[in-house]
């Protein structure tokens, strides 16, 4: 018997295994150090944004001495925050993607499809990297007006962010993917890319039919394969412009920069952080307990509380998952104890998320205002009543379902106890009104007002509720930056894609088609509702808004539809699609929060969705619901 110590083959195998383990250990250490640096930078950038914007508000409104450089500095930091947040989103798998089809595959096939998605994302980033560096180099000669520094300091965020995402993607590929899957995915990607290059002259010769190849075919294959939506958009745009036009790819990066640099979008990370503050300080729990004291004793009372609480809390965090996660753990145990069925709970939670899409300060409202030029203040005012109409429709369904249900052991609280809970909840209930008043009265812009909310929440948490976890602040800043990075990066990619569609002449053709429809404004609204419900179920709200908003809003104006009214109808339509099974990712998010099987909610959600659609048709047919208080 051979001595294993002296066996060359055995020694070679053990040496190879040791080397592999050592390499993986080094890779993990490098990954941990890299992500730690990016997380620290994101936390510092977001904290600095809050300080700079708050200083701007204080200087302008209190001291009457505006800081001319505050917006410029905030804008520079914001692009870096967005790109670094996108790096974290890629690292943690938080970029928006459709997984309804991929999740139905067997584990082995799903692992290969996930590997293919990473390879395609890396290919997209590789195509962006060089043009992004060229774009940043071109910005070097531009001097900013207030700070008088080179524009390259801001634009370098694009190539640096792309390079970091490439590194993170390669690390993820090396850590989780099988070598065989990687080789097959790379080979398949190379073959398809080569075929597109070979077919380039033919694609150019077929004219606008190539739009179907890239913006329908490539986008659909990417999205349904689980490739993050942002990279699906970018791949289609890069392929179309690179193979069928003579447009330099630096132009795509410029359009991405334009889409990501709207200062109003800075409200996204700030409101996400504000939502986390509301949960951490106990403000959300105080609101829930007060509403439960009012109607908790009636049939289905806690279902009304869920709807009302979503109305009050929703829109502040910028994440429906965060809203639902703050509410469900407080209400669901008691609702189940009173006999509510799990499927009905997740169905109501999902549809309550859909009905509150227009409750200010909704991130979707801010996004649609940034890409269409509509007044954020007008959108905030217009969004309240339509959401209340949909809430009333959901309450009607709850009444129908629970009118014959036993009250169980739910006690009716005395007025003194209700008054006590009201006083406890009053500081929390006042927050939405403080935010709206600050915008309407001109104290702060829609971007700056979140800083007022953050300071207000800190004061209330420290002095009123005596609940403030300082140790969580850094993690909350990172969470806000990660979610915001995913949102802002997809806005940049969708902006580039919308620009490419506009340059192709597609927008003019679409305008002629839509404006020539019989039935006028109501036919246009009806088609828009159907289209955006479908888009919302596949693309989610923000990508669909950024992609189609600049194309359809001018058509709405030509058709005689009030743009504010149209914005509300579009947002609610996408909300219905987002939370509709089987494709709506919002529905599966609600199931994840409720820790429930998605199949259980399929039947109960039909009645709630029907109520939302009836309410949506009512809102579309009666413009006053959206515009009556403007």
């Amino acid at each position: 018997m051979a001595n294993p110590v002296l066996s060359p083959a055995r020694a070679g195998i053990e040496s190879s295994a040791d080397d592999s383990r050592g390499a993986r250990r080094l890779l993990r250490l490098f990954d941990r150090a890299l992500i730690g640096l990016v997380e620290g930078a994101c936390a510092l950038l977001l904290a600095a944004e809050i300080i700079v914007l708050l200083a701007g508000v204080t200087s302008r409104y209190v001291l009457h001495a505006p800081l001319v450089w505050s917006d410029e500095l905030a804008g520079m930091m914001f692009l870096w925050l967005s790109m670094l947040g996108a790096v974290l989103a890629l690292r943690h798998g938080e970029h928006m993607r459709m997984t309804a089809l991929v999740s139905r595959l067997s584990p082995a096939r799903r692992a290969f499809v996930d590997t293919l998605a990473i390879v395609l994302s890396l290919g997209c980033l590789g195509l962006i990297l060089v043009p992004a560096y060229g774009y940043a180099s071109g910005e070097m000669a531009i001097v900013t007006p207030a700070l008088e520094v080179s524009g390259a300091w801001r634009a370098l965020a694009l190539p640096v962010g792309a390079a970091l995402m490439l590194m993170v993607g390669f690390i993820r590929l090396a850590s989780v993917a099988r070598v065989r899957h990687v080789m097959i995915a790379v080979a398949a990607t190379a073959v398809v890319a080569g075929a597109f290059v070979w077919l380039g002259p033919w694609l150019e010769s077929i004219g606008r039919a190539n739009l179907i190849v890239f913006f329908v075919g490539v986008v659909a294959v990417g999205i349904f394969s689980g490739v993050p939506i942002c990279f699906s958009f970018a791949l289609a745009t890069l392929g179309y412009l690179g193979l069928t036009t003579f447009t330099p790819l630096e132009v795509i990066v410029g359009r991405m920069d334009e889409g990501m640099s709207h200062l109003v979008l800075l409200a996204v990370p700030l409101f996400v952080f504000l939502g986390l503050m509301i949960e951490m300080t106990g403000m959300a729990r105080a609101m829930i307990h007060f509403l439960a004291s009012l109607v908790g004793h009636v049939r289905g009372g806690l279902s009304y509380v869920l709807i009302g609480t979503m109305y009050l809390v929703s829109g502040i965090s910028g994440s429906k998952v965060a809203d639902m996660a703050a509410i469900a753990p407080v209400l669901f145990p008691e609702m189940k104890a009173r006999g509510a069925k799990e499927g009905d709970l997740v169905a109501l939670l999902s549809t309550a998320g859909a009905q509150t899409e227009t409750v200010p300060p909704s991130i979707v409202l801010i996004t649609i205002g940034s890409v269409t030029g509509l007044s954020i203040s007008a959108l905030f005012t217009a969004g309240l009543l339509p959401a209340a109409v949909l809430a009333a429709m959901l309450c009607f369904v709850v009444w129908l379902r629970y009118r014959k249900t036993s009250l169980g052991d739910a006690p009716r609280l005395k007025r003194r106890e209700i008054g006590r809970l009201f006083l406890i909840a009053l500081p929390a209930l006042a927050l939405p009104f403080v935010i709206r008043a600050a915008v309407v009265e001109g104290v702060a812009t829609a971007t700056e007002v979140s800083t007022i909310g953050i300071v207000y929440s800190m004061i209330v948490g420290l002095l009123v509720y005596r609940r403030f976890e300082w140790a969580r602040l850094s993690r909350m800043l990172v969470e806000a930056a990660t979610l915001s990075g995913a949102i802002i990066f997809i806005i940049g990619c969708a902006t580039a894609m919308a620009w490419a569609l506009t340059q192709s002449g597609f927008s003019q053709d679409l305008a002629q088609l839509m404006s020539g429809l019989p039935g006028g404004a109501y036919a246009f609204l009806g088609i828009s509702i159907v289209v955006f419900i479908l888009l919302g179920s596949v693309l989610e709200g923000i990508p669909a808004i950024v992609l189609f908003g600049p194309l359809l809003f001018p058509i709405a104006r030509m058709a005689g539809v009030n743009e504010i009214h149209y914005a509300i109808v579009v947002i609610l339509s996408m909300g219905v699609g987002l939370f509709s099974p089987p494709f709506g990712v919002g529905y599966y998010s609600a199931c994840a929060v409720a820790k429930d099987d998605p199949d259980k909610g399929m039947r109960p959600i039909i009645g709630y969705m029907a109520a939302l659609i009836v309410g949506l048709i009512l809102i579309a047919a009666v413009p006053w619901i959206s515009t009556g208080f403007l």
Side-chain angles (χ1 to χ4, degrees):
M1 183 174 178
N3 187 339
V5 177
L6 301 178
S7 171
R10 182 66 175 270
I13 292 172
E14 291 183 354
S15 176
S16 176
D18 290 341
D19 290 344
S20 177
R21 284 194 293 269
R24 287 182 178 273
R25 190 181 305 114
L26 288 174
L27 194 63
R28 285 195 298 270
L29 290 174
F30 178 75
D31 177 51
R32 195 177 305 156
L34 177 64
I35 295 304
L37 287 173
V38 176
E39 288 182 344
C42 283
L44 290 174
L45 282 169
L46 184 50
E49 292 280 20
I50 295 171
I51 294 170
V52 168
L53 289 178
L54 187 61
V57 173
T58 305
S59 179
R60 183 182 64 250
Y61 191 76
V62 178
L63 305 178
H64 304 289
L67 300 177
V68 295
W69 50 264
S70 60
D71 284 354
E72 192 173 286
L73 179 59
M76 292 179 66
M77 292 191 297
F78 177 55
L79 187 59
W80 280 96
L81 177 66
S82 300
M83 292 302 297
L84 294 180
V87 174
L88 296 179
L90 183 63
R91 171 62 176 77
H92 300 302
E94 294 188 20
H95 278 291
M96 299 176 188
R97 57 195 293 254
M98 182 181 176
T99 58
L101 297 182
V102 176
S103 62
R104 297 178 182 272
L105 299 175
S106 64
R109 291 179 178 176
R110 190 188 313 159
F112 171 71
V113 172
D114 287 340
T115 301
L116 179 62
I118 298 173
V119 170
L120 289 172
S121 301
L122 290 174
C124 177
L125 290 166
L127 291 173
I128 290 175
L129 183 59
V130 174
Y133 178 77
Y135 175 76
S137 300
E139 293 287 302
M140 192 174 298
I142 299 174
V143 177
T144 61
L147 295 174
E148 297 184 350
V149 298
S150 172
W153 285 105
R154 187 188 65 84
L156 276 172
L158 295 163
V160 170
L164 288 172
M165 279 192 274
L166 269 172
M167 293 173 64
V168 167
F170 278 120
I171 292 172
R172 186 177 175 191
L173 202 62
S175 301
V176 302
R178 297 178 182 176
V179 175
R180 184 168 63 90
H181 287 172
V182 173
M183 293 176 65
I184 296 173
V186 171
T189 302
V191 169
V192 173
F196 268 101
V197 172
W198 181 66
L199 292 171
W202 176 78
L203 290 169
E204 188 175 352
S205 68
I206 63 175
R208 291 183 184 173
N210 55 34
L211 298 177
I212 298 175
V213 175
F214 290 100
F215 297 118
V216 177
V218 173
V219 170
V221 170
I223 289 175
F224 287 107
S225 299
V227 178
I229 295 173
C230 54
F231 297 122
S232 298
F233 284 177
L235 280 172
T237 307
L238 289 164
Y240 169 72
L241 293 178
L243 296 175
T244 66
T245 72
F246 297 100
T247 305
L249 296 186
E250 285 85 354
V251 174
I252 300 177
V253 180
R255 299 287 75 77
M256 291 176 63
D257 182 11
E258 179 184 348
M260 298 168 67
S261 296
H262 288 291
L263 194 60
V264 69
L265 292 175
L266 181 52
V268 173
L270 299 179
F271 275 120
V272 172
F273 182 69
L274 174 58
L276 296 172
M277 289 280 291
I278 291 172
E279 185 275 327
M280 185 261 283
T281 57
M283 296 172 69
R285 184 177 292 271
M287 285 189 278
I288 292 172
H289 286 165
F290 167 65
L291 293 176
S293 72
L294 293 177
V295 294
H297 60 281
V298 303
R299 290 179 171 90
L302 292 184
S303 296
Y304 300 128
V305 173
L306 190 153
I307 295 170
T309 308
M310 284 294 289
Y311 187 94
L312 290 173
V313 174
S314 189
I316 294 179
S317 72
S319 167
K320 281 293 181 290
V321 176
D323 299 334
M324 294 185 291
I327 294 169
V330 180
L331 285 177
F332 275 22
E334 182 63 23
M335 294 174 78
K336 290 177 182 178
R338 297 186 187 187
K341 297 180 180 179
E342 292 181 350
D344 192 64
L345 292 182
V346 75
L348 182 59
L349 181 65
S350 180
T351 48
Q355 62 100 8
T356 54
E357 288 280 19
T358 61
V359 177
S362 167
I363 300 302
V364 185
L365 287 177
I366 295 169
T367 302
I368 205 168
S370 72
V371 299
T372 61
L374 297 178
S375 166
I376 303 295
S377 177
L379 288 169
F380 279 10
T381 303
L384 289 167
L385 186 55
V389 170
L390 295 189
M393 301 297 293
L394 290 179
C395 288
F396 178 69
V397 177
V398 169
W399 176 79
L400 286 177
R401 291 189 173 181
Y402 288 96
R403 66 187 187 279
K404 297 181 181 180
T405 303
S406 172
L407 293 179
D409 298 325
R412 181 168 187 165
L413 298 182
K414 297 179 180 179
R415 291 182 179 180
R416 179 177 297 179
E417 182 64 16
I418 294 174
R420 186 184 70 83
L421 292 173
F422 172 72
L423 291 177
I424 294 173
L426 185 58
L429 293 170
L431 176 60
F433 300 97
V434 170
I435 289 174
R436 184 177 179 276
V439 174
V440 173
E441 297 300 325
V443 177
T445 66
T447 304
E448 298 166 335
V449 72
S450 52
T451 61
I452 296 176
I454 290 170
V455 172
Y456 178 88
S457 300
M458 290 184 69
I459 294 172
V460 169
L462 289 168
L463 302 181
V464 179
Y465 296 120
R466 305 292 179 89
R467 180 179 170 184
F468 198 91
E469 302 173 41
W470 292 99
R472 283 185 58 186
L473 281 182
S474 60
R475 178 46 50 186
M476 288 163 54
L477 289 167
V478 171
E479 288 178 21
T482 303
L483 176 60
S484 304
I487 293 172
I488 304 302
F489 190 70
I490 201 172
I491 288 175
C493 295
T495 300
M497 184 172 169
W499 178 84
L501 284 169
T502 302
Q503 295 302 307
S504 70
F506 171 77
S507 59
Q508 292 87 343
D509 294 344
L510 183 63
Q512 292 178 1
L513 176 64
M514 298 289 281
S515 59
L517 291 171
Y522 287 107
F524 178 73
L525 283 170
I527 292 175
S528 296
I529 288 173
V530 174
V531 168
F532 278 101
I533 286 177
L534 295 175
L535 289 173
S537 66
V538 176
L539 297 181
E540 300 196 30
I542 289 176
I545 283 174
V546 179
L547 184 57
F548 290 96
L551 303 178
L552 292 180
F553 272 77
I555 305 173
R557 195 185 310 116
M558 292 169 54
V561 179
N562 182 285
E563 289 181 291
I564 298 293
H565 174 54
Y566 187 63
I568 298 301
V569 171
V570 162
I571 291 172
L572 292 177
S573 300
M574 286 186 299
V576 170
L578 177 62
F579 286 89
S580 297
F583 294 117
V585 69
Y587 173 73
Y588 297 101
S589 298
C591 294
V593 169
K595 299 178 181 178
D596 208 350
D597 185 351
D599 292 337
K600 294 181 180 179
M602 293 291 187
R603 185 180 295 273
I605 204 172
I606 294 174
Y608 292 123
M609 277 296 169
L612 289 182
I613 292 173
V614 170
L616 178 57
I617 294 172
L618 176 63
I619 292 166
V622 184
W624 183 89
I625 297 176
S626 302
T627 61
F629 294 101
L630 297 180

